[in-house]
């Protein structure tokens, strides 16, 4: 699985969906550390959205460079919400080979927002074909499992976050065991 870091400005947030519409406001929410609002947009009732792997990438990219004191409980809760959505036990289709393939035109929503409702009513909208949809889960999970040592370090240094991070790590470690059997 290959993941190349994408600079925040190169991600077409306005053409990726959240649980409540397009991801246009995502960069500002990340910048303002609005983790509760982000969590509501990237995971809803066990469903991950087009923006999810990109939000996870942006957050995890900055996490090692931040002070451990700056990590908020709401951020850890965001990761827990996403990790809790990793409930599938087998891949029903193959994910895309490279995460950046999810930014290809064939997966992106129309530039014209007025066409959104029409797309939903007439057929399955772009980006929700099985291959792309499973990729949102696979790449979000892959990135979070790669961050396990970072989460462990934060838990060791922040006793107030340790219970939440322990919950997160249990979710990720259990998933690692499942991946090893696939």
């Amino acid at each position: 699985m290959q993941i190349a870091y994408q600079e925040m400005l190169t991600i077409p947030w306005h053409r990726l969906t959240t649980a409540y519409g397009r991801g246009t406001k995502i960069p500002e929410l990340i910048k303002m550390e609005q983790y509760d609002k982000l969590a509501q947009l990237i995971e809803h009732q066990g469903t991950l959205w087009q923006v999810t792997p990109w939000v996870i990438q942006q957050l995890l990219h900055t996490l090692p460079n931040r002070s451990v004191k700056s990590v908020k409980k709401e951020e850890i809760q965001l990761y827990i919400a996403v990790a809790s959505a990793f409930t599938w036990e087998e891949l029903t289709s193959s994910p895309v080979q490279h995460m950046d393939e999810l930014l290809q035109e064939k997966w992106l929503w129309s530039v014209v927002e007025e066409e959104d409702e029409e797309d939903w009513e007439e057929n399955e909208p772009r980006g929700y074909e099985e291959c792309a949809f499973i990729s949102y889960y696979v790449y979000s999970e892959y990135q979070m499992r790669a961050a396990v040592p970072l989460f462990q370090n934060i838990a060791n240094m922040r006793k107030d976050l340790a219970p939440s991070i322990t919950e997160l790590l249990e979710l990720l470690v259990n998933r690692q065991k499942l991946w090893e059997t696939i």
Side-chain angles (χ1 to χ4, degrees):
M1 227 166 266
Q2 293 189 14
I3 299 178
Y5 175 72
Q6 292 283 330
E7 292 292 333
M8 181 133 28
L9 294 175
T10 66
I11 299 169
W13 298 103
H14 65 290
R15 297 191 63 198
L16 300 173
T17 58
T18 72
Y20 297 101
R22 292 173 179 251
T24 308
K25 295 181 181 177
I26 296 282
E28 185 65 22
L29 294 173
I30 290 172
K31 181 180 174 185
M32 301 300 293
E33 298 179 356
Q34 296 293 309
Y35 302 115
D36 288 338
K37 290 180 182 179
L38 283 167
Q40 293 172 19
L41 296 175
I42 69 173
E43 184 278 334
H44 181 68
Q45 297 179 348
T47 300
L48 301 184
W49 301 85
Q50 283 180 301
V51 296
T52 307
W54 304 106
V55 169
I56 295 299
Q57 182 183 69
Q58 296 303 307
L59 294 176
L60 292 178
H61 180 73
T62 62
L63 193 56
N65 301 320
R66 292 175 29 214
S67 110
V68 173
K69 290 180 182 179
S70 74
V71 178
K72 297 179 181 176
K73 184 172 184 173
E74 295 81 10
E75 181 177 4
I76 302 303
Q77 292 300 321
L78 175 148
Y79 297 130
I80 290 171
V82 172
S84 295
F86 304 149
T87 57
W88 46 273
E89 293 191 14
E90 61 184 55
L91 296 178
T92 54
S93 73
S94 296
V96 297
Q97 288 194 331
H98 306 281
M99 189 169 125
D100 58 354
E101 288 178 49
L102 294 170
L103 297 179
Q104 292 177 351
E105 186 64 31
K106 67 181 177 179
W107 307 120
L108 298 176
W109 276 52
S110 166
V111 174
V112 182
E113 233 177 290
E114 289 76 36
E115 297 174 7
D116 289 356
E117 281 190 42
E118 185 178 301
D119 283 350
W120 276 106
E121 290 173 7
E122 291 184 14
N123 50 30
E124 188 169 31
R126 285 190 202 183
Y128 287 89
E129 295 83 355
E130 194 171 349
C131 174
F133 189 65
I134 195 69
S135 297
Y136 308 143
Y137 289 81
V138 169
Y139 284 103
S140 296
E141 181 176 344
Y142 182 79
Q143 293 177 103
M144 287 179 56
R145 284 192 294 115
V148 164
L150 182 57
F151 293 134
Q152 289 170 328
N153 185 50
I154 294 168
N156 290 336
M157 298 177 75
R158 290 280 306 274
K159 299 303 178 200
D160 60 317
L161 295 179
S164 295
I165 294 175
T166 298
E167 178 183 353
L168 173 60
L169 292 172
E170 286 175 2
L171 289 167
L172 296 174
V173 167
N174 288 337
R175 293 298 299 173
Q176 177 66 36
K177 291 175 186 172
L178 179 64
W179 274 88
E180 290 168 359
T181 64
I182 295 179

